[in-house]
Amino acid sequence: MSSASNAAAGNTEGAQSVRRAVAVLRALAAGQDRGARASEVALQCGLTRATAHRMLQVLVEEGLAERTPSPPRYVIGREASLLGIARSSPLPIRTAAAPFLEKVCRETGDSTVLTLRSGTDSICIERLTGSYPIQVIGVSIGARLPLGVGVGGVVLLAFLPRGEREELIARIAPRLARHRTTVTVLRERIRRAREQGHAFTDAGVIPGTHVLAVPVLSPDGRPLAALSINAMANRLPAARAKRLVPLLRQQADGIGARWTALG
């Protein structure tokens, strides 16, 4: 093999290692404070257990992961949090969205959530608690799910260009069974979301809850985020969700416009 070929092979292997490390960190982030076992990381990232264990050990040595005892699990490390502090404004869309989330929360009285895409995951970056006495607060800031498992993730997927959407669905597919869903179900949810311009579920991630979500779109029509409300099933029946769609769409448009102006 020529030196140029050797260099190309080395670059490819190096890039693959970085991608694997990022995937491992995302798997740990999805576990939040609970973390994940090495075997769970291996399954989620498509790695052998030996490879996952080696990568976790390196991440622990670098402070990007921590190992908890009894039973042994891995969580995101302190150094990962410190790295995020380097950006003075790490999530400008959160700033742009603030007044619009507050309006939705105030007018509906329900838990209001802003969700972003992170790789093949959706991640909650903001959650406001409404005034209604019974609130759905199971979705916490930093919570991750495979795209399409949560309703916010459905609209984040639905409004991507078809080729990009199909590539993501293929990458997500192996993880769906753990969340009691299938690619067929996900495609149907995407079809309805594209047709209606929003997503609604009468079977939220938390049993007994309903969720309504609309996309926040950029000027070129790409999904920037998802704006959603979460409530107990009897609080958010399909009829009320339908009445609230215009409010959510108006505020989502406001977020998109303000994000564009600030950008």
Side-chain angles (χ1 to χ4, degrees), residues 19-20 22-23 26 43-46 117-121 146-147 157 160 163-177 183 186-187:
R19 290 183 189 280
R20 285 176 171 176
V22 171
R26 284 179 173 149
L43 180 63
Q44 181 169 329
C45 300
R117 174 187 159 198
S118 174
T120 57
D121 293 338
L147 282 168
L157 264 179
L160 286 171
E164 187 174 354
R165 184 170 70 244
E166 290 300 317
E167 180 184 349
L168 284 168
I169 290 173
R171 292 169 62 190
I172 296 161
R175 300 169 58 195
L176 294 179
V183 169
L186 176 55
R187 288 189 187 281

Side-chain angles (χ1 to χ4, degrees), residues 179-208:
H179 297 274
R180 298 180 182 179
T181 191
T182 65
V183 169
T184 300
V185 171
L186 176 55
R187 288 189 187 281
E188 176 59 19
R189 296 177 77 190
I190 288 171
R191 185 195 66 77
R192 290 201 304 266
R194 288 182 61 81
E195 183 179 280
Q196 299 171 354
H198 66 271
F200 173 73
T201 181
D202 57 6
V205 173
I206 302 171

Side-chain angles (χ1 to χ4, degrees), residues 119-234:
T120 57
D121 293 338
S122 61
I123 177 169
C124 169
I125 64 164
E126 184 63 286
R127 187 200 71 208
L128 303 183
T129 302
S131 58
Y132 189 71
I134 302 175
Q135 293 285 301
V136 175
I137 56 175
V139 179
S140 57
I141 294 174
R144 286 174 176 261
L145 288 170
L147 282 168
V149 171
V151 179
V154 170
V155 295
L156 287 170
L157 264 179
F159 296 92
L160 286 171
R162 182 174 181 176
E164 187 174 354
R165 184 170 70 244
E166 290 300 317
E167 180 184 349
L168 284 168
I169 290 173
R171 292 169 62 190
I172 296 161
R175 300 169 58 195
L176 294 179
R178 294 180 62 194
H179 297 274
R180 298 180 182 179
T181 191
T182 65
V183 169
T184 300
V185 171
L186 176 55
R187 288 189 187 281
E188 176 59 19
R189 296 177 77 190
I190 288 171
R191 185 195 66 77
R192 290 201 304 266
R194 288 182 61 81
E195 183 179 280
Q196 299 171 354
H198 66 271
F200 173 73
T201 181
D202 57 6
V205 173
I206 302 171
T209 65
H210 288 182
V211 187
L212 171 67
V214 299
V216 176
L217 301 175
S218 65
D220 63 358
R222 287 185 62 84
L224 298 170
L227 172 63
S228 61
I229 58 172
N230 304 257
M232 299 303 295
N234 60 358

Side-chain angles (χ1 to χ4, degrees), residues 2-17:
S2 68
S3 58
S5 298
N6 284 330
N11 289 339
T12 300
E13 291 171 5
Q16 185 181 50
S17 296

